[in-house]
Amino acid sequence: MMEAKVESKYAKNDYRGLPSTLCQGCGHNSISSQIISACFELGIQPEKVVKFSGIGCSSKSPTYFLNRSFGFNGLHGRMAPLALGTLFADTSLKGIGVSGDGDTASIGMGGFKHLVRRNMPMVYIVENNGVYGLTKGQFSATAEKGLMLKKQGTNPYLPVDIAMEALVSNATFVARSFAGDPRQVKELIKAALSHNGIAVIDIISPCVTFNNQEGTLHSYTWGKDREAPLHEISFIPPRDEIMVEDFEEGSVREVTMHDGSLVLLKKLENDYDPTDRWQALRILEDAQRNNWLITGLLYINPEIPSLIDTYDLPQQPLNRMSQEQLRPGSSVLDEINAMMQ
Amino acid sequence: MMEAKVESKYAKNDYRGLPSTLCQGCGHNSISSQIISACFELGIQPEKVVKFSGIGCSSKSPTYFLNRSFGFNGLHGRMAPLALGTLFADTSLKGIGVSGDGDTASIGMGGFKHLVRRNMPMVYIVENNGVYGLTKGQFSATAEKGLMLKKQGTNPYLPVDIAMEALVSNATFVARSFAGDPRQVKELIKAALSHNGIAVIDIISPCVTFNNQEGTLHSYTWGKDREAPLHEISFIPPRDEIMVEDFEEGSVREVTMHDGSLVLLKKLENDYDPTDRWQALRILEDAQRNNWLITGLLYINPEIPSLIDTYDLPQQPLNRMSQEQLRPGSSVLDEINAMMQ
Amino acid sequence: MKAQPQDIINDFCITFATVNGSGSQTANNTILRALFKMGIPISGKNKFPSNIQGLPTWYSIRVSKDGYLGRLEKDDIVVCMNPASFENDLAYLNPGGVVLYPDDFKQTIQRTDISAYPMPVKALSRSADISPALRDYIANMVYVGVLAWLLQIDLDEIHQALNHHFRGKQKAVESNFSVAREAYQWAGENLKKNDPYRVERMAPLDGYIMTDGNTAGALGSIFGGVQFVAWYPITPASTLPEALIEFLPQYRKDPLTGKNTFAVVQAEDELAAIGMIIGAGFGGLRSMTATSGPGLSLMTEYAGLAYFAEVPTVIWDVQRVGPSTGLPTRTAQSDMTMAHNLGHGDTRHVMLIPGSVTECFEFGWMAFDLAEHLQAPVFVMSDLDLGMNQWMTLKFEYPEPPMDRGKVIWEEELEKRIGSWGRYADVDGDAIPYRTVPGNLHSGAAYMARGTGHDPQAHYSEDPQVWEINLNRLVAKYYSAGDLVPQPIVDVLQGAKNGIITYGSSDPAVIEARDILGKKGFNFDKLRLRAVPFTSEVEDFLRSHDTVYVVENNQDGQMAQLLSQEFPALAGRLVKVAHNDGLPLSAAWIVESILKEGE
Amino acid sequence: MKAQPQDIINDFCITFATVNGSGSQTANNTILRALFKMGIPISGKNKFPSNIQGLPTWYSIRVSKDGYLGRLEKDDIVVCMNPASFENDLAYLNPGGVVLYPDDFKQTIQRTDISAYPMPVKALSRSADISPALRDYIANMVYVGVLAWLLQIDLDEIHQALNHHFRGKQKAVESNFSVAREAYQWAGENLKKNDPYRVERMAPLDGYIMTDGNTAGALGSIFGGVQFVAWYPITPASTLPEALIEFLPQYRKDPLTGKNTFAVVQAEDELAAIGMIIGAGFGGLRSMTATSGPGLSLMTEYAGLAYFAEVPTVIWDVQRVGPSTGLPTRTAQSDMTMAHNLGHGDTRHVMLIPGSVTECFEFGWMAFDLAEHLQAPVFVMSDLDLGMNQWMTLKFEYPEPPMDRGKVIWEEELEKRIGSWGRYADVDGDAIPYRTVPGNLHSGAAYMARGTGHDPQAHYSEDPQVWEINLNRLVAKYYSAGDLVPQPIVDVLQGAKNGIITYGSSDPAVIEARDILGKKGFNFDKLRLRAVPFTSEVEDFLRSHDTVYVVENNQDGQMAQLLSQEFPALAGRLVKVAHNDGLPLSAAWIVESILKEGE
Ligand SMILES: Cc1ncc(C[n+]2csc(CCOP(=O)(O)OP(=O)(O)O)c2C)c(N)n1
Ligand SMILES: Cc1ncc(C[n+]2csc(CCOP(=O)(O)OP(=O)(O)O)c2C)c(N)n1
Ligand code: SF4
Ligand code: SF4
Ligand SMILES: [Mg+2]
Ligand SMILES: [Mg+2]
């Protein structure tokens, strides 16, 4: 389902955005880069893309890629309906949405589930860091159960699994990746851009700043040994983005997070069949039990008509229609008046 | 997990509510009766129950049972947080929520999922009829794909499966039943009342009035043959509630709905093990493929601590606490002042 | 006992007391249209419960040769088909009034100052060629027939009305008509008329049609070129989008391709509905939703975004009684202040306020022109009375001006402006910037819309001055709407010192009240608001009257509040004449209140 | 070139220009507290971007021997650690001002009317015994030391302030202090002071403490017996619930069992947060949330339910700049009209408006008494300036009155009232009914709360009169709050014809502006509002002054609007003095505006 690389008349620069104002080392920045690369490699006309986001650090990122694409940085948790409405205006446009885990799985849960259920054709990326970055590190709905954060205490809930939520809402394209695995991220985005339907990509994207589990190694609480946590600290030490080297399908890779905790990335096997929704659910459930983060294209079904397909719309974009097409003639009104007399 | 019947000092009358104002033959009425029976059979003190609902025909029903229990008929789609807040006031109270499919799966999706995820101890009943009854029969999110309704056209979306949604949100008790199967409904409610955690019961509850598929047998559009549909009709012919006789575990039963369509009820096998979440997901997926409505207790896990359990609250209800318990002494304030000086 | 009074012709109120779900709507509409067809001014108001079946419901038809369309507080004739409400219904009868009821009612009638006609409903409906399931329904045709005889409504008109109702489906027309005719005959043979009420044919109401405001609003929107509708069901707004769903496929196929030039999405809730239409508005579509109080509440945050990001869209608020879920099936004008400032921070919106069903049509298309011209959400403030009741109303007129798509620029135009253009740059000094929309393929067309602070180039900005300049422009834009919105309708008399301001569905009662007051020697000039922001006419009107009564159907006197805010120096002249109990205002109440205030 | 001016003592403004995420907060707080400890009135205001790391941020400390706490528009001293803002920062310096900056800045300083002190930041911070990762952070201590030398702040006070900041954690105190001390020494040895600014110890500020409004609000709530908190993160409200999460476990264990007497739930959004606290309020708990504009918008529908179903709860609105997402990290008083009428239909709410950090504490506990007494939601209208900035403020006083739990009746009391009791029955004629809560085991205690029409027995009702009587009672109840809410603070001069009304965080600037105007010979009486509904004092004040300037930090003059609505006859006297650019009002702007208006 991935398109071959095409000869493009655009340079990579044509896909760039403004300089990022996110933290140095934030996973979100690396995802922006891959969106740029994916669009470049597909040779998409930048004007044919529309960007959407909610509110959060993640939702700021559409400013940092595809300057020549329209975009709407909307409301917290409400990206879904905004994108849906816009994409009816000209159905030849590609929608790329970037949301956060708080934005999608906490406040935005309802909108997300219903957008997916409608099979609205667009790419829906969740930059998933388990916290609310922009409001300074509270738990989001994807935070691990038992996670302890300074100020917030212990998280008592099991995390929302965004990929599983998408599957259960009958998504037609579901993938998971890790921000530090740029090649996979890029390939999945390219595949998603080529899919006619909702394409959900849940990307684990570490927050360098607020994964400050109290007392863990490298936590920016400045070392237990010194017994001197910097209270109400506003200091964010510069960090590097976490990157993994390319690794094999089917293998497992350990990744150390900024707070010192370990994450087990597992790439889907080479022969995994992503057209079986049932398998996808099973493998996710499996991964949960094994504490793996399973990455790759989990599910795809290109057969289901997209929402737009069900609407019998003309080729010509609705937003270019003339008064002649939009306002019935006066004889029609005469008929109506007669009918109501 | 079902409690044995206890000797009760209450008569059945102690559990009744006001007369119903729902349509004659509405499935919701039969569910109210079973809530009454379940509470009666368990001998629950009616004052120890608190009722909740949203807005809709279904959400009206708490008025029609348990007159001696407090209740809050809240806002459309927002039953979940309201119930959560109230039940902290006195954790010895049992919460029973009654919601509709529109209320829960359309507007209330986010709240529902998060209440479930929190494992808030209460019984959450969805009276699921696939339409918005109270606003006159539009599609809800549980309407079948392809369903055609007068005025509304064809439903282009796959239905939300409330039981599956609950499971994916880590519900600790998930069941499905049919309003016309009173014994099963009652037994499930009894089990749910005995569960310490969220207990979701998705009950298919036919709307006698708005399942008026255009042109189907018995549709109240007054017969194609006469070629005279009553336009903008406000006439609702009196109908009987659909009832099935008791039927065996593991067997399948055909039920004819008011609009003439058939539903296949399948009761879970006797030896079905409801403690395996994975099995529950599988059987739901299976049922979807076979077009069955699988009924029975799909999943239960009594081990997970409920939300309330995680809060280290005293025995004494919070809402009976005195000023002495709630207002720290003046020396505490002196300390605080000193600290801030 | 009863004196034989003089005939009362074409001037009374009939109420049908039934049970909801019993199908009486067909019967009531039949009478209503038959009267209308006879040239008699009428209006029909439904007072129904917020449930589906089995509770009392009332339908009142006002017959008024003088053309008054407001609500009357008492009935002259009541057709009571519901034993549960019988006693109460009788109490609402004026002395000398009439009651029709099925002859199997057990209750006895205590009042002696009224005429009572029992009807053999069971017998007559049983005799009809009708499936038993439909007997209860057809029973309603009995009262149609009896009433026709009693009031001297032409049976032919009844037949025509049924034809209209069933859109010519003969089978349905005939089976209904046969019952009505039989009842008519029965009445002729068995009843002795001993009451004064009857109708007489008048000159044909040629310039008029009969329909409801929600249908009119939908049709107006269709002629306004609506392209995208998102909605969530709620009484009393639902019938507007439902009319769109019905009519759009009929009237809005692309003439070239036969494809749809529109899309309607039933959203999962109102938060989504408004999100969708704002998305569509941003995309360059004429987009709209319709909702009522609870839905409007949920739209608050998004409304503020549309204001601030300058996205055109149209929001119909078909108002019902609040606060909260309130009385979902009763009418009010009580979201006025709320809608005007919907959103946190400093937000204000343009509102159109139709005062008739015809204006629902007119403002239906006009709202899009305004929204796109102003690049702002426009609220159309209707209500249940206007939206769901049947009104005799002026024929719809074809929109005269061409569509105003506002300052949307496409590739070519943009190319000329490159350099000076910025999405939020006020190049013309009219506070309205030029706008590009997605799909514009010029490489300089794109911008990032946002709800956060931004500069004229749409770039994120926290600069205090950039913020304030932008906000001040938005206010200037808002006020500039004063020249575009429909002007108020001012009716000035010779030498009236005092005035009345009203709006929306309260107008019919005010028209009547003003006539009554005039007859009592109290003259008032009148201004009917049709939009906010207030135009200069409003200020002039306030300035030129000592006391101005603001008549409206809500508790707080919300329009008076908005006027006080806007014209503090003149606020002392305002007197609130406001109340709401879920029913449309009556002229009697207005007269009484103004006289009391004037004491 | 620069004349050697006279010393300027304890009266100037220092701004620290840094980059966010660089940890300057510790340094700034250290200076602030050191000055406070020296008895010098100060206030600190943070102007920070809505991101986490890498953008310019400014922290301003006003040092004012006269105790003025309002914002100054220009700086006397700027410590610039951020090359990106250097140029701009210099522009904000008053003539004769001072700039401190790291000696490795590339830019040259153009201004010749200021004193410039480069600091060897890199060198000094490198020498400290500090891990390399923390160097950037510790660099801030360099300017603390240099500034201490320059202003003559006692090094001892710096040490104490660090001690306070790190709660006595010696390791942290010492490593920070060692850098500050070294910088101090370096300055003494290398700098030549050629500017007039310095501080002098004053009498100890014994009655005062230093903290922020959100912390104060949290503590006030704790002493108010808060039992249930639901919240959703949002700037600038988050630190209030976060302070609750920090302090509740410390101060609110049950004395008998050691268990929690409270619960805090982080909700999935604001719709859920308010739903939860309304549920808890219905359940008889003292419940609260804290939010800001966007969250408040989402609470609209539920706020109407609480009003109508008469559920006590407390909602803090820590206001920021709107419309829409606006400027999340800037201050405004622009949700006033919105909060007052939050909800569709006819809704109005009681609002408390703290004007100081001490009042944040006080209204924190008082809000619960009012909410439970009135059986209604109470809004506490704070803002970012009050809530997140550090203020010198009067010590908190222990709540004098016992908790007012309102007319909640339990089994015994109910038993006595059976027969006359109904959940919404106004038996005492004070518009406040008796209330039972779930868990009351009396068999007659239960009722069904609802957002739909209901009678005194809480039964569903669509009856027009029942509706209107109930709604009128709710308005009467609202007005009865006028006797309970904190009265305005009125300050009357001899013979002032004109007055100023202000509220909340605008008060400090008004205090100062009034002094300035007084010195210019323009005298004004003053009234500081502390609550809505308006009490009789407000009407008296309006009545007794020819012109009343309403000073507030928003665009629309929202309080003036509310006053116009409430007192239309007096509205002509009101003059709006309102603007918002995200910053707290300054005295200079108020003076200028009033003088201009008065022209
Ligand atoms: C209605 C509303 N509530 C709260 C906020 C405050 N807010 C801004 S961003 C954010 C959380 C963002 O978290 P996430 O979506 O996970 O993005 P991240 O910053 O982690 O990338 C919140 C709660 C808001 N802007 N609007
Ligand atoms: C915010 C809001 N939007 C819309 C409505 C209108 N409304 C009332 S009931 C209902 C649907 C109820 O459907 P469901 O929950 O399935 O219950 P049912 O009537 O089918 O039992 C709607 C949309 C409302 N009350 N509040
Ligand atoms: S706070 Fe976290 S999520 Fe936000 S920009 Fe910084 S690293 Fe990224
Ligand atoms: S409309 Fe349908 S759901 Fe509502 S009461 Fe009638 S049968 Fe039940
Ligand atoms: Mg996040
Ligand atoms: Mg339903």
Side-chain angles (χ1 to χ4, degrees), chain A residues 114-135:
Chain A
H114 284 279
L115 185 80
V116 169
R117 179 172 169 259
R118 294 178 202 278
N119 197 25
M120 181 69 210
M122 67 177 284
V123 180
Y124 192 117
I125 295 171
V126 183
E127 298 184 342
N128 190 344
N129 56 15
V131 292
Y132 294 170
L134 193 53
T135 51

Side-chain angles (χ1 to χ4, degrees), chain C residues 102-386:
Chain C
D103 58 6
D104 57 351
F105 274 19
K106 300 278 174 291
Q107 296 103 320
T108 53
I109 298 174
Q110 304 295 343
R111 286 184 64 170
T112 53
D113 58 342
I114 56 174
S115 307
Y117 305 101
M119 308 174 289
V121 173
K122 281 251 166 67
L124 286 168
S125 51
R126 209 172 302 131
S127 66
D129 161 33
I130 281 297
S131 86
L134 289 171
R135 280 229 181 99
D136 279 0
Y137 161 72
I138 215 76
N140 300 309
M141 280 296 139
V142 172
Y143 70 70
V144 171
V146 175
L147 199 65
W149 177 83
L150 206 65
L151 297 180
Q152 303 174 21
I153 301 172
D154 220 320
L155 259 194
D156 238 40
E157 295 292 4
I158 298 284
H159 193 260
Q160 272 196 44
L162 283 167
N163 236 320
H164 186 275
H165 189 80
F166 290 113
R167 305 201 175 167
K169 305 261 165 65
Q170 277 317 305
K171 247 331 204 302
V173 173
E174 293 317 323
S175 38
N176 278 280
F177 185 65
S178 70
V179 177
R181 189 181 44 211
E182 241 182 283
Y184 186 96
Q185 279 164 1
W186 170 87
E189 289 157 16
N190 296 283
L191 291 186
K192 188 177 143 13
K193 183 170 169 76
N194 52 9
D195 69 83
Y197 302 100
R198 62 182 186 82
V199 298
E200 253 175 25
R201 199 174 283 278
M202 291 172 69
L205 288 162
D206 274 342
Y208 290 86
I209 55 176
M210 200 173 71
T211 189
D212 60 88
N214 283 352
T215 301
L219 289 167
S221 305
I222 289 171
F223 282 83
V226 61
Q227 298 174 285
F228 185 84
V229 184
W231 69 297
Y232 189 71
I234 189 165
T235 309
S238 299
T239 55
L240 201 164
E242 283 171 343
L244 284 166
I245 293 171
E246 181 177 352
F247 294 124
L248 275 168
Q250 290 177 41
Y251 302 131
R252 284 287 303 283
K253 297 278 184 193
D254 184 14
L256 295 171
T257 61
K259 300 268 184 183
N260 294 328
T261 63
F262 61 86
V264 183
V265 178
Q266 185 188 311
E268 62 270 24
D269 59 20
E270 290 89 348
L271 288 150
I274 189 170
M276 290 173 187
I277 62 169
I278 289 173
F282 164 70
L285 301 186
R286 300 203 134 186
S287 67
M288 70 180 289
T289 191
T291 189
S292 192
L296 198 69
S297 277
L298 290 173
M299 293 182 181
T300 306
E301 193 191 10
Y302 247 128
L305 176 69
Y307 171 80
F308 183 65
E310 303 183 58
V311 180
T313 195
V314 173
I315 296 152
W316 281 72
D317 180 12
V318 187
Q319 295 164 90
R320 68 188 211 185
V321 175
S324 200
T325 310
L327 302 177
T329 58
R330 299 298 156 82
T331 197
Q333 301 178 299
S334 58
D335 298 339
M336 301 306 294
T337 45
M338 187 211 197
H340 182 249
N341 291 104
L342 200 69
H344 57 273
D346 294 284
T347 310
R348 37 179 125 197
H349 301 290
V350 174
M351 305 197 287
L352 297 180
I353 315 168
S356 69
V357 167
T358 306
E359 280 184 354
C360 287
F361 176 83
E362 202 177 323
F363 295 1
W365 58 261
M366 195 185 289
F368 292 113
D369 287 351
L370 276 167
E372 289 198 327
H373 185 100
L374 293 165
Q375 305 180 11
V378 167
F379 290 76
V380 188
M381 306 300 292
S382 181
D383 63 22
L384 182 143
D385 185 25
L386 210 49

Side-chain angles (χ1 to χ4, degrees), chain C residues 22-86:
Chain C
S22 67
S24 55
Q25 204 77 343
T26 307
N28 305 340
N29 281 340
T30 300
I31 304 259
L32 192 69
R33 189 157 298 269
L35 292 168
F36 175 65
K37 286 281 185 187
M38 290 174 74
I40 309 168
I42 39 76
S43 65
K45 293 195 193 298
N46 197 3
K47 184 176 155 195
F48 58 107
S50 172
N51 92 326
I52 303 301
Q53 190 199 46
L55 289 184
T57 181
W58 297 269
Y59 193 82
S60 297
I61 294 180
R62 177 166 186 182
V63 180
S64 168
K65 61 180 189 320
D66 304 318
Y68 293 132
L69 304 178
R71 182 175 71 89
L72 288 173
E73 293 185 353
K74 295 228 160 183
D75 303 317
D76 299 300
I77 304 175
V78 66
V79 179
C80 188
M81 304 294 283
N82 178 9
S85 68
F86 193 46

Side-chain angles (χ1 to χ4, degrees), chain A residues 91 113 128 131 139 154 186 214 315:
Chain A
T91 57
K113 298 279 287 183
N128 190 344
V131 292
F139 298 119
T154 307
K186 185 184 66 187
E214 188 128 33
Q315 203 74 40

Side-chain angles (χ1 to χ4, degrees), chain D residues 96-117:
Chain D
V98 170
V99 58
L100 282 75
Y101 61 100
D103 57 6
D104 55 353
F105 274 20
K106 301 276 174 296
Q107 295 104 322
T108 51
I109 297 173
Q110 305 294 341
R111 284 183 67 171
T112 52
D113 59 342
I114 56 174
S115 307
Y117 304 101

